[in-house]
Amino acid sequence: MTASRIYGIDLGTTYSCISYVDEWGKPVVVPNFEGDLTTPSVVHFESADNIVVGKEAKNASKVDPGRVVEFVKRNMGDATFSREIDGKSYRPEEISSYILRKLASDASQTVGDQIKDVVITCPAYFGINEREATKNAGILADLNVVNILNEPTAAAICYGDDKTKGDEVVLVYDLGGGTFDITVIAMEQGDIRVVVTGGNHNLGGKDWDDRLIEYLAEQFMTENAGESNPLDDPYSMQELAKSAEEIKKGLSAKEKYPLMVSHNGKRARVEVTREKLEELTADLLQQTIDLTRHVLEEAKGKGIGKIDQILLVGGLSKMPAVARRMQEEFGIETNLFEPDLSVAKGAALMGQKIMAGEMIREIIANETGTTIEEVDLAEIDQGTIAEAAKKATATAGGKFRLPSKDLADMATRKIINVCSKGFGVVAVDAEDGEKEYVAYLIQNNTPVPVEVTETGFGTLRPNQQQVSVRVMEQAGQTQSPSPEDNRLISEGEIAPLPANLPAGSPIHVTFRLAEDGTLSVTAVEPSSGRDLNLEVKVEGVMSQQEIEASKGMLLKQTVS
């Protein structure tokens, strides 16, 4: 039986938060030790044994910038990134694990519950590497990661939790601190179906901050001719970063924001207007508009002719320019929907759905003499599910006080995601004999889970001795046949092939993409049955052995 709760965690680029669903079925965000609903995703290596996360870590960035790490989410899955502190190199997964430990520890003290099972969110546009790194961060934090959930889907789950809402198609515009997702979601009788998604996981509030930082430095140097550039001094740079965030937030509520910029004993008074901020960042906002237009066109190709509402989520969507531009460009009603909290709440609701389903399946399994793995609620009649839900509610020990019908609805609610990337293999043009291209077996925005078999591949030469299988993931905004525009995520070979096979002898390739983003690949030479099975080994993230070795060390450190 699952633990008393499955918590939802929004692991954000700039801020993170944690939520659970109470016994009445309502999502609740748990404040941290400092009493705030969100925690800055900032890590300060105060000493080799003590790690500080959150507001105090952010404050420390001004006086100890060399030991503070921010915006690590942008580096998830990046094999080239590490941060060396006290002679140890820390990977993005390890740094993120401290943030997760802070969230779980603070929430545990508040609710009096051991936090183990979690649903962690990630940008919809994350690929396999980034998703695996996110899961590994949870493992390193000593958490059981039940599900990795797309952030826009989580926001839609939270929005759709209001039972008074009817069927509608929503566009989730999620502009966070470091990432941007745009997703079309159809909500039908409580079910949630992702139609199409796109985005850029290197576009977000940090980019707005960077523009402001550059502007403030320019204004200081204009007023203090001949003085050194504040951007060259790490302490002044941190002060500018803090000021930039304050300006950005302040200008969401007022038209002007005056401040003093200090560096090297000199000062400059700068007044930033909302109009100036919008001018400095117009191209960044335009990128989100262009991506939105592209996603809407794709949705139209999938039969979606009308968007009922745009949900604005993510902290940066609070800027007035966002709602104004979206209204101007697309003429669709916008709704600023709990921009800082909806993702964590939706993740908690997903956790509750998983837990409710497991409880009902367990009861049905016990009554039918089968295993829980054999019970598929989609194939069980509603009467049996309703009776099991009543028993689950009666024996749940206070977990649920909501009506059993709501519990049954929660467990059977369909949430259908799509893959944000296309996946394929490198093939060779048979006519050219040399030119390589990527043949996509799974197209981007395909509903998951999905299994695809391609029987049209064949050997290139007579008596070929082996077949190389290179598995590729789409790297850009659109699918490209050029291998250089894709990312190699796994490879292997079938060898030896049977002797004297003619050119063009068939090779069958099967891709299976699970709901959690796990990809497996099988390639078979049918005449001999010789095959290749690839559980795609993700490059750029920590191996299982590295995780086990690191976990023991990390858990010895104090996190506060």
Side-chain angles (χ1 to χ4, degrees), residues 121-273:
T121 63
C122 74
Y125 211 64
F126 262 15
I128 283 182
N129 286 39
E130 296 91 340
R131 290 173 190 273
E132 188 70 15
T134 302
K135 183 177 181 180
N136 287 344
I139 295 170
L140 289 167
D142 203 26
L143 298 170
N144 175 37
V145 183
V146 176
N147 192 281
I148 298 293
L149 180 65
N150 289 350
E151 289 163 1
T153 305
I157 291 171
C158 182
Y159 176 75
D161 190 50
D162 184 346
K163 305 299 189 297
T164 65
K165 292 184 170 68
D167 295 352
E168 58 181 321
V169 178
V170 298
L171 178 78
V172 181
Y173 176 104
D174 184 358
L175 184 56
T179 61
F180 173 66
D181 280 324
I182 188 75
T183 306
V184 174
I185 297 176
M187 310 178 72
E188 301 157 348
Q189 298 181 336
D191 296 339
I192 290 177
R193 177 173 62 89
V194 177
V195 180
V196 61
T197 192
N200 183 343
H201 69 258
N202 281 307
L203 176 66
K206 182 182 184 302
D207 301 290
W208 270 255
D209 289 349
D210 289 346
R211 295 292 174 83
L212 279 168
I213 289 168
E214 292 171 5
Y215 177 72
L216 295 176
E218 289 171 3
Q219 295 304 299
F220 172 86
M221 293 177 69
T222 298
E223 195 162 318
N224 294 276
E227 187 54 74
S228 62
N229 192 332
L231 299 182
D232 296 333
D233 180 86
Y235 298 98
S236 297
M237 176 68 178
Q238 287 296 330
E239 280 293 333
L240 290 178
K242 183 174 181 290
S243 296
E245 184 176 1
E246 291 172 354
I247 292 168
K248 188 179 64 183
K249 291 180 177 178
L251 290 177
S252 292
K254 56 187 181 181
E255 294 287 342
K256 298 178 180 179
Y257 195 102
L259 76 156
M260 298 299 297
V261 176
S262 301
H263 167 62
N264 211 20
K266 301 290 180 63
R267 306 176 78 191
R269 184 183 186 281
V270 181
E271 182 176 86
V272 184
T273 64

Side-chain angles (χ1 to χ4, degrees), residues 293-357:
R293 185 174 289 108
H294 176 73
V295 163
L296 287 174
E297 285 298 319
E298 286 199 58
K300 190 180 295 183
K302 293 180 178 288
I304 300 295
K306 179 177 180 290
I307 304 294
D308 296 298
Q309 189 169 187
I310 296 174
L311 300 184
L312 302 179
V313 299
L316 207 62
S317 66
K318 289 183 276 191
M319 293 189 306
V322 171
R324 187 182 71 246
R325 284 296 310 278
M326 293 296 282
Q327 181 68 39
E328 290 171 356
E329 294 287 339
F330 306 109
I332 303 169
E333 178 187 353
T334 60
N335 178 359
L336 187 62
F337 179 69
E338 296 200 67
D340 299 318
L341 308 178
S342 61
V343 170
K345 286 184 174 183
L349 287 164
M350 183 66 171
Q352 185 81 328
K353 167 187 161 53
I354 292 168
M355 186 169 70

Side-chain angles (χ1 to χ4, degrees), residues 49-53 98-99 101-102 105 554 557-560:
D49 299 319
N50 189 55
I51 312 299
V52 178
V53 175
Y98 295 127
I99 300 168
R101 281 180 64 189
K102 161 74 171 175
S105 175
L554 296 180
Q557 296 171 311
T558 300
V559 175
S560 59

